[in-house]
Amino acid sequence: MKSTVEQLSPTRVKINVEVPFDELKPNFDRAYRKLAQQVRIPGFRPGKAPARILESRLGRGVVLDEVVNEAIPAKYSEAVTAEEVRPLGRPEIEVTEIKDGEQLAFTAEVDVRPVFDLPDASAFAVTVDDVAVTDEEVVEQLDALRARFGTLTGVDRPAGKDDFVVVDLSATVDGKDIEEAATTGLSYQIGSGGLIDGIDEALTGLSADESTTFTTTLVAGEHANSEAAVTAKVTAVKERELPEADDEFAQLASEFDTLDELRDDLKDRLGKAKRMQQAAQARDKVLEALLDATEVPLPGSVLEAELEVRTHDAIHAFDHDEARFAEWLTEQGQTREEFDAEAKKDAERSVKTQLVLDAVADAEEVSVSDMELTQQIVSQAQRFGIAPEEFLQRTQQAGQLGAVYADVRRGKALAGVVRQATVTDEAGTEVDLSEFLGGDDIPEIEDVEDSQVVEDSEVVEAEDATDAEAVDAPEATDEAGSESTEPESAPAKA
Protein backbone atom coordinates (compact mmCIF):
# COMPACT_ATOMS: atom_id res chain seq x y z
CA MET A 1 0.00 0.00 0.00
CA LYS A 2 1.16 3.52 -0.80
CA SER A 3 -0.04 6.63 1.02
CA THR A 4 0.74 10.34 0.98
CA VAL A 5 -0.58 13.32 2.93
CA GLU A 6 -1.50 16.76 1.63
CA GLN A 7 -1.80 19.57 4.19
CA LEU A 8 -4.93 21.45 3.13
CA SER A 9 -4.85 23.83 6.10
CA PRO A 10 -3.34 23.88 9.59
CA THR A 11 -6.30 21.78 10.74
CA ARG A 12 -7.16 19.60 7.74
CA VAL A 13 -5.35 17.07 5.56
CA LYS A 14 -6.07 14.89 2.57
CA ILE A 15 -4.68 11.36 2.67
CA ASN A 16 -4.16 9.71 -0.70
CA VAL A 17 -4.12 5.92 -0.58
CA GLU A 18 -3.32 3.37 -3.31
CA VAL A 19 -3.85 -0.33 -2.59
CA PRO A 20 -2.62 -3.07 -4.99
CA PHE A 21 -5.24 -5.74 -5.58
CA ASP A 22 -2.93 -8.48 -4.36
CA GLU A 23 -3.23 -6.93 -0.87
CA LEU A 24 -7.00 -7.32 -1.07
CA LYS A 25 -7.04 -11.12 -1.38
CA PRO A 26 -8.15 -11.59 2.29
CA ASN A 27 -10.94 -9.08 1.67
CA PHE A 28 -12.07 -10.98 -1.44
CA ASP A 29 -12.06 -14.26 0.50
CA ARG A 30 -14.24 -12.75 3.23
CA ALA A 31 -16.53 -11.14 0.67
CA TYR A 32 -17.12 -14.47 -1.12
CA ARG A 33 -17.86 -16.22 2.19
CA LYS A 34 -20.28 -13.50 3.24
CA LEU A 35 -22.12 -13.39 -0.07
CA ALA A 36 -22.29 -17.18 -0.23
CA GLN A 37 -24.13 -17.19 3.08
CA GLN A 38 -26.59 -14.56 1.86
CA VAL A 39 -27.46 -16.03 -1.54
CA ARG A 40 -29.23 -19.34 -2.26
CA ILE A 41 -27.91 -20.98 -5.41
CA PRO A 42 -29.49 -24.25 -6.61
CA GLY A 43 -27.14 -27.19 -6.31
CA PHE A 44 -25.01 -25.69 -3.56
CA ARG A 45 -25.41 -25.73 0.18
CA PRO A 46 -25.52 -22.30 1.92
CA GLY A 47 -22.03 -20.86 2.07
CA LYS A 48 -20.55 -23.42 -0.33
CA ALA A 49 -21.03 -21.76 -3.70
CA PRO A 50 -17.65 -21.11 -5.39
CA ALA A 51 -16.47 -17.62 -6.25
CA ARG A 52 -16.97 -17.95 -10.03
CA ILE A 53 -20.59 -19.05 -9.53
CA LEU A 54 -21.25 -16.14 -7.17
CA GLU A 55 -19.79 -13.64 -9.62
CA SER A 56 -21.79 -15.18 -12.45
CA ARG A 57 -25.01 -14.93 -10.44
CA LEU A 58 -24.45 -11.56 -8.71
CA GLY A 59 -22.02 -9.78 -10.97
CA ARG A 60 -18.44 -8.70 -10.36
CA GLY A 61 -19.60 -5.25 -9.25
CA VAL A 62 -21.39 -6.60 -6.17
CA VAL A 63 -18.23 -8.41 -5.08
CA LEU A 64 -16.08 -5.32 -5.64
CA ASP A 65 -18.47 -3.16 -3.61
CA GLU A 66 -18.26 -5.59 -0.70
CA VAL A 67 -14.46 -5.68 -0.88
CA VAL A 68 -14.06 -1.92 -1.15
CA ASN A 69 -16.45 -1.13 1.72
CA GLU A 70 -14.64 -3.57 3.98
CA ALA A 71 -11.10 -2.63 2.94
CA ILE A 72 -11.29 1.16 3.09
CA PRO A 73 -11.68 1.56 6.89
CA ALA A 74 -8.74 -0.74 7.58
CA LYS A 75 -6.53 0.80 4.90
CA TYR A 76 -7.44 4.30 6.07
CA SER A 77 -6.43 3.35 9.61
CA GLU A 78 -3.20 1.86 8.32
CA ALA A 79 -2.40 5.04 6.40
CA VAL A 80 -3.14 7.24 9.41
CA THR A 81 -0.73 5.20 11.51
CA ALA A 82 1.97 5.13 8.83
CA GLU A 83 1.77 8.87 8.18
CA GLU A 84 1.47 9.75 11.90
CA VAL A 85 -1.73 11.70 11.32
CA ARG A 86 -3.79 12.67 14.39
CA PRO A 87 -7.35 12.82 13.09
CA LEU A 88 -10.29 14.54 14.72
CA GLY A 89 -13.50 12.86 13.74
CA ARG A 90 -14.66 10.83 10.80
CA PRO A 91 -13.03 11.28 7.41
CA GLU A 92 -14.71 12.18 4.15
CA ILE A 93 -13.87 9.25 1.91
CA GLU A 94 -13.90 9.38 -1.89
CA VAL A 95 -13.00 6.40 -4.05
CA THR A 96 -10.98 7.79 -6.94
CA GLU A 97 -10.12 4.59 -8.80
CA ILE A 98 -11.13 0.93 -8.89
CA LYS A 99 -9.01 -0.75 -11.55
CA ASP A 100 -10.12 -4.37 -11.30
CA GLY A 101 -7.18 -6.68 -10.85
CA GLU A 102 -4.72 -3.81 -10.46
CA GLN A 103 -5.42 -1.26 -7.70
CA LEU A 104 -7.90 0.53 -5.48
CA ALA A 105 -7.32 4.24 -4.84
CA PHE A 106 -9.17 6.58 -2.52
CA THR A 107 -8.75 9.86 -0.69
CA ALA A 108 -9.69 10.75 2.87
CA GLU A 109 -10.12 14.33 4.01
CA VAL A 110 -10.16 14.75 7.78
CA ASP A 111 -9.59 17.40 10.42
CA VAL A 112 -6.46 16.94 12.46
CA ARG A 113 -5.03 18.30 15.67
CA PRO A 114 -3.29 21.58 14.87
CA VAL A 115 0.33 22.10 15.80
CA PHE A 116 1.01 25.22 17.86
CA ASP A 117 3.47 26.58 20.39
CA LEU A 118 2.71 26.53 24.10
CA PRO A 119 3.71 29.50 26.30
CA ASP A 120 6.00 29.22 29.31
CA ALA A 121 3.66 28.50 32.22
CA SER A 122 6.17 29.78 34.76
CA ALA A 123 5.63 33.28 33.37
CA PHE A 124 1.99 33.31 34.44
CA ALA A 125 1.17 35.38 37.53
CA VAL A 126 -2.39 35.61 38.88
CA THR A 127 -4.00 37.15 41.95
CA VAL A 128 -6.72 35.42 43.96
CA ASP A 129 -8.94 36.46 46.85
CA ASP A 130 -7.80 36.31 50.46
CA VAL A 131 -9.10 33.49 52.64
CA ALA A 132 -9.63 35.30 55.93
CA VAL A 133 -12.66 34.04 57.88
CA THR A 134 -14.65 36.73 59.70
CA ASP A 135 -16.57 36.36 62.96
CA GLU A 136 -19.76 37.24 61.08
CA GLU A 137 -19.26 34.29 58.74
CA VAL A 138 -18.79 31.93 61.69
CA VAL A 139 -21.99 33.25 63.28
CA GLU A 140 -23.83 32.73 59.97
CA GLN A 141 -22.67 29.10 59.86
CA LEU A 142 -23.61 28.58 63.48
CA ASP A 143 -27.07 30.01 62.88
CA ALA A 144 -27.51 27.72 59.87
CA LEU A 145 -26.64 24.76 62.09
CA ARG A 146 -29.07 25.94 64.75
CA ALA A 147 -31.76 26.19 62.08
CA ARG A 148 -31.38 22.48 61.37
CA PHE A 149 -32.34 21.78 64.96
CA GLY A 150 -35.05 24.44 65.16
CA THR A 151 -38.74 23.82 65.78
CA LEU A 152 -41.69 25.25 63.87
CA THR A 153 -44.41 27.01 65.81
CA GLY A 154 -47.70 28.27 64.37
CA VAL A 155 -48.29 32.03 64.56
CA ASP A 156 -51.37 34.19 64.02
CA ARG A 157 -49.91 36.95 61.85
CA PRO A 158 -49.01 37.71 58.22
CA ALA A 159 -46.13 35.69 56.78
CA GLY A 160 -42.76 37.33 56.35
CA LYS A 161 -39.28 36.46 55.13
CA ASP A 162 -37.90 33.17 56.52
CA ASP A 163 -41.33 32.14 57.81
CA PHE A 164 -42.70 28.74 56.84
CA VAL A 165 -46.13 28.51 55.28
CA VAL A 166 -48.36 25.59 54.41
CA VAL A 167 -49.79 26.42 51.01
CA ASP A 168 -52.14 25.00 48.39
CA LEU A 169 -51.18 25.79 44.79
CA SER A 170 -53.09 25.60 41.50
CA ALA A 171 -52.32 26.98 38.05
CA THR A 172 -53.99 27.71 34.75
CA VAL A 173 -52.61 28.35 31.27
CA ASP A 174 -54.94 30.16 28.90
CA GLY A 175 -57.76 29.49 31.36
CA LYS A 176 -57.18 25.73 31.47
CA ASP A 177 -56.25 23.99 34.74
CA ILE A 178 -52.79 22.41 34.83
CA GLU A 179 -53.08 19.24 36.89
CA GLU A 180 -49.35 18.62 37.31
CA ALA A 181 -48.92 22.13 38.76
CA ALA A 182 -51.51 21.64 41.51
CA THR A 183 -50.58 20.60 45.05
CA THR A 184 -51.97 20.83 48.57
CA GLY A 185 -50.35 21.01 51.98
CA LEU A 186 -46.96 22.11 50.64
CA SER A 187 -44.53 23.41 53.27
CA TYR A 188 -42.40 26.26 51.95
CA GLN A 189 -40.01 28.75 53.50
CA ILE A 190 -40.47 32.27 52.18
CA GLY A 191 -37.24 33.58 50.70
CA SER A 192 -35.71 30.20 49.91
CA GLY A 193 -36.34 30.77 46.21
CA GLY A 194 -36.62 27.09 45.42
CA LEU A 195 -40.13 26.91 44.00
CA ILE A 196 -41.32 29.22 41.22
CA ASP A 197 -40.59 32.82 40.30
CA GLY A 198 -42.83 35.29 42.11
CA ILE A 199 -43.93 32.96 44.90
CA ASP A 200 -41.96 34.76 47.63
CA GLU A 201 -43.47 38.13 46.84
CA ALA A 202 -46.96 36.62 46.53
CA LEU A 203 -46.86 34.84 49.90
CA THR A 204 -45.33 37.71 51.87
CA GLY A 205 -48.03 39.43 53.90
CA LEU A 206 -50.58 36.64 53.66
CA SER A 207 -52.14 35.20 56.82
CA ALA A 208 -53.74 31.77 57.26
CA ASP A 209 -56.80 31.21 55.01
CA GLU A 210 -55.81 34.07 52.70
CA SER A 211 -55.00 33.58 49.02
CA THR A 212 -53.58 35.46 46.06
CA THR A 213 -53.07 34.94 42.32
CA PHE A 214 -49.93 35.92 40.44
CA THR A 215 -48.44 35.38 36.99
CA THR A 216 -45.29 33.37 36.41
CA THR A 217 -43.54 31.26 33.77
CA LEU A 218 -43.59 27.50 34.24
CA VAL A 219 -40.18 25.84 33.98
CA ALA A 220 -41.07 22.14 33.71
CA GLY A 221 -43.66 19.74 32.42
CA GLU A 222 -45.80 19.85 29.31
CA HIS A 223 -46.34 23.60 29.66
CA ALA A 224 -42.72 24.54 30.35
CA ASN A 225 -41.92 28.15 29.38
CA SER A 226 -45.63 28.99 29.23
CA GLU A 227 -47.11 31.90 31.18
CA ALA A 228 -49.41 30.67 33.94
CA ALA A 229 -51.77 32.20 36.48
CA VAL A 230 -50.90 30.63 39.85
CA THR A 231 -53.24 30.76 42.84
CA ALA A 232 -51.67 30.29 46.27
CA LYS A 233 -53.77 29.76 49.39
CA VAL A 234 -52.01 29.87 52.76
CA THR A 235 -53.44 27.44 55.31
CA ALA A 236 -50.89 28.03 58.09
CA VAL A 237 -48.04 30.36 58.99
CA LYS A 238 -45.17 29.10 61.14
CA GLU A 239 -41.96 30.59 62.47
CA ARG A 240 -38.84 28.67 63.36
CA GLU A 241 -37.53 28.89 66.90
CA LEU A 242 -33.80 28.30 67.18
CA PRO A 243 -32.15 26.52 70.12
CA GLU A 244 -29.85 28.57 72.33
CA ALA A 245 -26.23 28.69 71.18
CA ASP A 246 -24.57 27.11 74.23
CA ASP A 247 -22.52 24.08 75.27
CA GLU A 248 -25.64 21.94 75.43
CA PHE A 249 -26.40 22.74 71.79
CA ALA A 250 -22.79 21.99 70.81
CA GLN A 251 -23.12 18.54 72.36
CA LEU A 252 -26.45 17.99 70.59
CA ALA A 253 -25.32 19.11 67.14
CA SER A 254 -21.69 17.92 67.04
CA GLU A 255 -19.02 15.76 68.61
CA PHE A 256 -17.75 18.72 70.64
CA ASP A 257 -18.39 19.40 74.32
CA THR A 258 -18.31 23.18 74.23
CA LEU A 259 -19.64 25.94 72.01
CA ASP A 260 -16.12 27.37 71.62
CA GLU A 261 -14.86 24.09 70.20
CA LEU A 262 -17.78 24.02 67.78
CA ARG A 263 -17.05 27.61 66.70
CA ASP A 264 -13.37 26.75 66.11
CA ASP A 265 -14.38 23.75 63.98
CA LEU A 266 -16.78 25.87 61.92
CA LYS A 267 -14.02 28.41 61.40
CA ASP A 268 -11.62 25.68 60.22
CA ARG A 269 -14.23 24.32 57.82
CA LEU A 270 -14.91 27.78 56.43
CA GLY A 271 -11.19 28.31 55.95
CA LYS A 272 -10.83 25.05 54.05
CA ALA A 273 -13.85 25.87 51.87
CA LYS A 274 -12.35 29.27 51.07
CA ARG A 275 -9.00 27.69 50.23
CA MET A 276 -10.82 25.38 47.83
CA GLN A 277 -12.52 28.38 46.26
CA GLN A 278 -9.14 30.06 46.07
CA ALA A 279 -7.70 27.03 44.27
CA ALA A 280 -10.64 27.03 41.84
CA GLN A 281 -10.13 30.74 41.23
CA ALA A 282 -6.43 30.16 40.59
CA ARG A 283 -7.32 27.37 38.17
CA ASP A 284 -9.73 29.58 36.24
CA LYS A 285 -7.36 32.53 36.05
CA VAL A 286 -4.38 30.42 35.01
CA LEU A 287 -6.48 28.71 32.37
CA GLU A 288 -7.58 32.11 31.08
CA ALA A 289 -3.95 33.26 30.94
CA LEU A 290 -2.96 30.07 29.12
CA LEU A 291 -5.69 30.50 26.52
CA ASP A 292 -4.94 34.20 26.01
CA ALA A 293 -1.25 33.43 25.46
CA THR A 294 -1.83 30.61 22.96
CA GLU A 295 -2.74 30.97 19.31
CA VAL A 296 -4.67 27.92 18.12
CA PRO A 297 -6.25 27.35 14.69
CA LEU A 298 -9.60 25.69 15.34
CA PRO A 299 -10.69 22.69 13.23
CA GLY A 300 -13.87 23.61 11.39
CA SER A 301 -15.76 20.35 11.83
CA VAL A 302 -14.99 20.24 15.55
CA LEU A 303 -16.20 23.80 16.04
CA GLU A 304 -19.35 23.13 14.03
CA ALA A 305 -20.07 20.01 16.09
CA GLU A 306 -19.64 21.88 19.38
CA LEU A 307 -21.85 24.74 18.19
CA GLU A 308 -24.48 22.27 17.01
CA VAL A 309 -24.47 20.60 20.42
CA ARG A 310 -24.98 23.91 22.21
CA THR A 311 -27.78 25.02 19.90
CA HIS A 312 -29.46 21.63 20.10
CA ASP A 313 -29.36 21.65 23.90
CA ALA A 314 -30.80 25.15 24.07
CA ILE A 315 -33.74 24.38 21.78
CA HIS A 316 -34.25 20.90 23.24
CA ALA A 317 -35.60 22.51 26.42
CA PHE A 318 -38.45 23.86 24.28
CA ASP A 319 -39.16 20.50 22.57
CA HIS A 320 -37.32 21.87 19.52
CA ASP A 321 -40.06 24.45 18.99
CA GLU A 322 -38.21 27.32 17.32
CA ALA A 323 -41.10 29.72 17.88
CA ARG A 324 -41.18 29.09 21.65
CA PHE A 325 -37.41 29.40 21.79
CA ALA A 326 -37.55 32.73 19.96
CA GLU A 327 -40.26 33.92 22.35
CA TRP A 328 -38.11 32.96 25.34
CA LEU A 329 -35.13 34.82 23.88
CA THR A 330 -37.30 37.91 23.52
CA GLU A 331 -38.33 37.64 27.18
CA GLN A 332 -34.63 37.50 28.08
CA GLY A 333 -33.97 40.62 26.04
CA GLN A 334 -31.84 38.74 23.50
CA THR A 335 -32.14 38.25 19.76
CA ARG A 336 -31.45 35.01 17.95
CA GLU A 337 -28.45 36.64 16.31
CA GLU A 338 -27.06 37.58 19.73
CA PHE A 339 -27.66 34.05 21.00
CA ASP A 340 -25.89 32.53 18.00
CA ALA A 341 -22.94 34.91 18.39
CA GLU A 342 -22.61 34.08 22.09
CA ALA A 343 -22.95 30.35 21.43
CA LYS A 344 -20.23 30.55 18.78
CA LYS A 345 -17.91 32.43 21.12
CA ASP A 346 -18.47 29.86 23.87
CA ALA A 347 -17.95 26.99 21.44
CA GLU A 348 -14.68 28.48 20.23
CA ARG A 349 -13.42 28.85 23.78
CA SER A 350 -14.48 25.32 24.68
CA VAL A 351 -12.75 23.72 21.69
CA LYS A 352 -9.65 25.84 22.20
CA THR A 353 -9.51 24.81 25.86
CA GLN A 354 -9.66 21.16 24.92
CA LEU A 355 -6.97 21.43 22.29
CA VAL A 356 -4.63 23.47 24.48
CA LEU A 357 -4.94 21.19 27.49
CA ASP A 358 -4.47 18.14 25.30
CA ALA A 359 -1.30 19.73 23.92
CA VAL A 360 -0.07 20.41 27.46
CA ALA A 361 -0.83 16.82 28.42
CA ASP A 362 1.10 15.56 25.40
CA ALA A 363 4.07 17.83 26.09
CA GLU A 364 4.22 16.77 29.75
CA GLU A 365 3.45 13.12 28.92
CA VAL A 366 0.51 13.11 31.32
CA SER A 367 -1.00 9.69 31.94
CA VAL A 368 -4.07 8.53 33.85
CA SER A 369 -3.98 5.57 36.20
CA ASP A 370 -6.82 3.10 36.68
CA MET A 371 -7.31 4.51 40.18
CA GLU A 372 -7.65 8.07 38.87
CA LEU A 373 -10.14 6.95 36.23
CA THR A 374 -12.13 5.09 38.88
CA GLN A 375 -12.17 8.14 41.14
CA GLN A 376 -13.53 10.27 38.29
CA ILE A 377 -16.25 7.73 37.58
CA VAL A 378 -17.26 7.68 41.25
CA SER A 379 -17.25 11.49 41.37
CA GLN A 380 -19.40 11.80 38.25
CA ALA A 381 -21.79 9.14 39.52
CA GLN A 382 -22.29 11.12 42.72
CA ARG A 383 -22.85 14.26 40.66
CA PHE A 384 -25.74 12.57 38.83
CA GLY A 385 -27.02 10.75 41.89
CA ILE A 386 -26.55 7.22 40.58
CA ALA A 387 -24.41 4.23 41.57
CA PRO A 388 -20.86 4.16 40.13
CA GLU A 389 -21.56 0.78 38.50
CA GLU A 390 -24.60 2.20 36.71
CA PHE A 391 -22.71 5.31 35.62
CA LEU A 392 -19.87 3.14 34.25
CA GLN A 393 -22.33 0.94 32.36
CA ARG A 394 -24.09 3.93 30.82
CA THR A 395 -20.76 5.51 29.92
CA GLN A 396 -19.54 2.35 28.20
CA GLN A 397 -22.80 1.87 26.33
CA ALA A 398 -22.62 5.46 25.05
CA GLY A 399 -18.98 5.04 24.04
CA GLN A 400 -18.00 7.86 26.39
CA LEU A 401 -15.36 6.22 28.58
CA GLY A 402 -12.71 7.82 26.41
CA ALA A 403 -14.24 11.22 27.19
CA VAL A 404 -14.03 10.53 30.93
CA TYR A 405 -10.38 9.54 30.50
CA ALA A 406 -9.75 12.74 28.53
CA ASP A 407 -11.38 14.86 31.24
CA VAL A 408 -9.08 13.43 33.90
CA ARG A 409 -6.03 13.89 31.70
CA ARG A 410 -6.88 17.50 30.95
CA GLY A 411 -7.51 18.21 34.62
CA LYS A 412 -4.08 16.85 35.48
CA ALA A 413 -2.52 18.88 32.67
CA LEU A 414 -4.10 22.08 33.99
CA ALA A 415 -2.99 21.25 37.53
CA GLY A 416 0.56 21.06 36.22
CA VAL A 417 0.25 24.51 34.62
CA VAL A 418 -1.16 25.98 37.85
CA ARG A 419 1.72 24.43 39.77
CA GLN A 420 4.22 26.29 37.56
CA ALA A 421 2.41 29.64 37.74
CA THR A 422 2.86 32.26 40.45
CA VAL A 423 -0.31 32.65 42.51
CA THR A 424 -0.60 35.43 45.11
CA ASP A 425 -3.43 36.75 47.23
CA GLU A 426 -4.59 40.37 47.39
CA ALA A 427 -1.97 41.13 50.05
CA GLY A 428 0.79 39.96 47.70
CA THR A 429 1.51 36.77 49.64
CA GLU A 430 2.24 33.71 47.53
CA VAL A 431 -0.50 31.11 47.89
CA ASP A 432 0.39 27.51 48.67
CA LEU A 433 -1.88 25.26 46.59
CA SER A 434 -0.01 22.03 47.35
CA GLU A 435 -3.02 20.80 49.32
CA PHE A 436 -4.95 20.66 46.06
CA LEU A 437 -2.14 20.01 43.56
CA GLY A 438 0.05 17.54 45.40
CA GLY A 439 -1.61 14.56 43.74
CA ASP A 440 -2.09 16.22 40.36
CA ASP A 441 -5.61 16.96 41.52
CA ILE A 442 -7.56 20.16 41.11
CA PRO A 443 -11.23 21.11 41.27
CA GLU A 444 -12.92 19.94 38.10
CA ILE A 445 -12.94 22.15 35.04
CA GLU A 446 -16.47 22.84 33.87
CA ASP A 447 -15.25 24.01 30.50
CA VAL A 448 -13.61 20.66 30.00
CA GLU A 449 -16.28 18.45 31.43
CA ASP A 450 -19.42 19.80 29.89
CA SER A 451 -18.42 19.73 26.26
CA GLN A 452 -18.31 16.48 24.41
CA VAL A 453 -16.85 17.39 21.10
CA VAL A 454 -13.15 16.64 21.37
CA GLU A 455 -12.37 13.49 23.24
CA ASP A 456 -8.80 12.36 23.51
CA SER A 457 -7.91 13.26 19.91
CA GLU A 458 -11.32 12.39 18.52
CA VAL A 459 -14.47 14.21 17.52
CA VAL A 460 -17.57 12.86 19.19
CA GLU A 461 -21.23 13.69 18.81
CA ALA A 462 -22.64 14.67 22.15
CA GLU A 463 -25.92 13.20 23.25
CA ASP A 464 -26.20 15.92 25.86
CA ALA A 465 -23.76 18.38 26.98
CA THR A 466 -23.37 20.01 30.81
CA ASP A 467 -24.67 23.22 30.62
CA ALA A 468 -21.87 23.10 29.00
CA GLU A 469 -18.70 23.61 27.99
CA ALA A 470 -16.67 20.20 29.11
CA VAL A 471 -13.51 20.20 26.64
CA ASP A 472 -17.03 20.38 31.10
CA ALA A 473 -17.14 17.60 26.44
CA PRO A 474 -19.11 15.88 22.70
CA GLU A 475 -17.37 9.60 19.34
CA ALA A 476 -15.04 7.43 18.66
CA THR A 477 -12.27 6.89 21.12
CA ASP A 478 -11.50 3.59 22.66
CA GLU A 479 -11.87 2.84 26.35
CA ALA A 480 -8.35 4.00 27.10
CA GLY A 481 -9.05 7.35 25.50
CA SER A 482 -6.54 6.75 22.73
CA GLU A 483 -7.02 8.06 19.24
CA SER A 484 -9.41 6.12 17.05
CA THR A 485 -8.36 6.19 13.43
CA GLU A 486 -10.86 3.79 11.90
CA PRO A 487 -14.03 5.34 10.47
CA GLU A 488 -17.29 3.74 11.52
CA SER A 489 -18.17 3.27 7.91
CA ALA A 490 -16.77 4.04 4.52
CA PRO A 491 -19.07 6.62 2.96
CA ALA A 492 -17.45 6.11 -0.39
CA LYS A 493 -18.26 8.33 -3.31
CA ALA A 494 -17.40 6.67 -6.60
Side-chain angles (χ1 to χ4, degrees):
M1 186 186 78
K2 176 184 177 183
S3 61
T4 59
V5 176
E6 297 178 42
Q7 192 78 38
L8 302 179
S9 75
T11 62
R12 193 166 181 83
V13 300
K14 176 190 282 189
I15 306 174
N16 305 288
V17 182
E18 297 177 358
V19 186
F21 256 55
D22 57 6
E23 290 187 20
L24 299 177
K25 185 179 183 308
N27 303 93
F28 273 100
D29 292 340
R30 286 190 291 272
Y32 289 133
R33 287 196 296 270
K34 179 179 178 181
L35 292 172
Q37 292 289 343
Q38 296 175 345
V39 179
R40 287 186 172 275
I41 298 180
F44 296 94
R45 287 179 296 169
K48 298 300 183 180
R52 61 183 180 80
I53 299 297
L54 288 170
E55 289 194 6
S56 176
R57 175 63 65 90
L58 302 175
R60 177 69 171 177
V62 172
V63 177
L64 287 178
D65 285 345
E66 185 68 33
V67 169
V68 168
N69 286 329
E70 184 201 59
I72 283 180
K75 294 303 179 182
Y76 165 78
S77 180
E78 187 179 332
V80 164
T81 301
E83 300 295 336
E84 298 184 345
V85 173
R86 302 189 64 189
L88 289 172
R90 301 187 184 99
E92 294 180 7
I93 301 290
E94 181 178 1
V95 177
T96 56
E97 182 181 45
I98 302 178
K99 188 174 292 185
D100 196 1
E102 296 185 25
Q103 82 168 11
L104 161 68
F106 66 90
T107 63
E109 285 193 25
V110 65
D111 279 348
V112 295
R113 285 189 172 275
V115 177
F116 50 89
D117 296 326
L118 290 170
D120 179 9
S122 63
F124 297 150
V126 300
T127 302
V128 295
D129 296 336
D130 292 331
V131 293
V133 178
T134 66
D135 292 340
E136 290 76 12
E137 290 172 322
V138 175
V139 170
E140 183 179 340
Q141 290 295 309
L142 181 60
D143 287 345
L145 184 59
R146 291 169 62 203
R148 291 172 54 188
F149 290 85
T151 57
L152 296 180
T153 303
V155 293
D156 185 15
R157 60 168 174 76
K161 188 177 185 302
D162 296 330
D163 281 339
F164 285 80
V165 294
V166 180
V167 61
D168 298 339
L169 295 175
S170 61
T172 61
V173 173
D174 297 330
K176 297 181 180 179
D177 292 335
I178 309 301
E179 292 185 7
E180 64 267 26
T183 185
T184 59
L186 176 68
S187 179
Y188 176 71
Q189 184 181 22
I190 297 178
S192 61
L195 201 54
I196 52 178
D197 287 342
I199 188 71
D200 293 326
E201 295 80 2
L203 293 176
T204 300
L206 294 184
S207 299
D209 297 325
E210 292 184 341
S211 62
T212 187
T213 299
F214 63 99
T215 302
T216 189
T217 300
L218 301 180
V219 297
E222 180 183 354
H223 297 279
N225 303 301
S226 298
E227 191 173 87
V230 178
T231 298
K233 179 181 180 181
V234 174
T235 59
V237 179
K238 301 179 181 181
E239 65 179 8
R240 181 159 51 189
E241 295 181 354
L242 303 182
E244 290 295 328
D246 52 22
D247 292 346
E248 183 178 348
F249 171 72
Q251 295 166 17
L252 171 67
S254 71
E255 70 273 27
F256 302 107
D257 293 327
T258 68
L259 183 62
D260 288 340
E261 289 176 320
L262 176 57
R263 288 180 185 273
D264 289 341
D265 181 67
L266 291 174
K267 185 173 184 178
D268 289 341
R269 291 173 182 270
L270 276 170
K272 183 175 182 180
K274 286 198 171 189
R275 290 194 299 275
M276 290 182 65
Q277 293 172 357
Q278 195 180 55
Q281 189 180 25
R283 170 207 68 193
D284 294 343
K285 289 194 171 185
V286 169
L287 176 59
E288 196 66 39
L290 175 63
L291 296 179
D292 289 345
T294 310
E295 291 294 330
V296 183
L298 301 181
S301 65
V302 178
L303 187 58
E304 289 174 8
E306 175 70 14
L307 185 56
E308 182 179 347
V309 166
R310 291 171 181 276
T311 304
H312 172 275
D313 288 347
I315 301 177
H316 179 72
F318 299 85
D319 295 326
H320 300 280
D321 187 327
E322 291 277 359
R324 288 172 58 194
F325 179 58
E327 182 179 344
W328 178 81
L329 286 176
T330 301
E331 293 173 356
Q332 304 302 310
Q334 188 179 34
T335 65
R336 180 58 188 265
E337 290 74 18
E338 290 172 336
F339 168 82
D340 289 340
E342 184 177 334
K344 182 180 179 181
K345 180 180 178 181
D346 291 341
E348 289 173 345
R349 187 185 188 280
S350 177
V351 172
K352 182 177 181 179
T353 302
Q354 298 173 72
L355 294 173
V356 170
L357 291 181
D358 283 341
V360 172
D362 290 343
E364 299 298 329
E365 298 182 349
V366 175
S367 61
V368 177
S369 68
D370 291 342
M371 179 60 72
E372 290 168 332
L373 188 59
T374 299
Q375 289 174 343
Q376 180 74 348
I377 290 171
V378 172
S379 174
Q380 289 295 295
Q382 292 174 342
R383 177 179 176 183
F384 291 106
I386 60 178
E389 296 79 9
E390 182 181 353
F391 178 82
L392 176 60
Q393 183 179 18
R394 292 184 184 182
T395 303
Q396 290 175 323
Q397 290 174 347
Q400 288 292 299
L401 197 56
V404 177
Y405 176 97
D407 286 341
V408 178
R409 189 168 183 259
R410 292 176 184 130
K412 292 182 67 176
L414 180 55
V417 177
V418 176
R419 188 181 293 107
Q420 296 178 58
T422 300
V423 181
T424 57
D425 60 21
E426 294 174 342
T429 304
E430 190 164 345
V431 177
D432 180 11
L433 297 176
S434 58
E435 179 181 1
F436 305 100
L437 303 177
D440 290 323
D441 189 18
I442 197 166
E444 64 187 34
I445 316 161
E446 291 184 358
D447 283 341
V448 171
E449 285 190 356
D450 293 335
S451 159
Q452 308 230 319
V453 174
V454 179
E455 282 189 11
D456 183 38
S457 300
E458 198 59 45
V459 173
V460 292
E461 302 170 18
E463 299 179 0
D464 305 307
T466 104
D467 151 3
E469 293 177 355
V471 169
D472 128 86
E475 300 218 321
T477 59
D478 59 26
E479 293 189 355
S482 59
E483 295 170 4
S484 170
T485 58
E486 183 172 328
E488 289 188 4
S489 61
K493 296 185 293 182

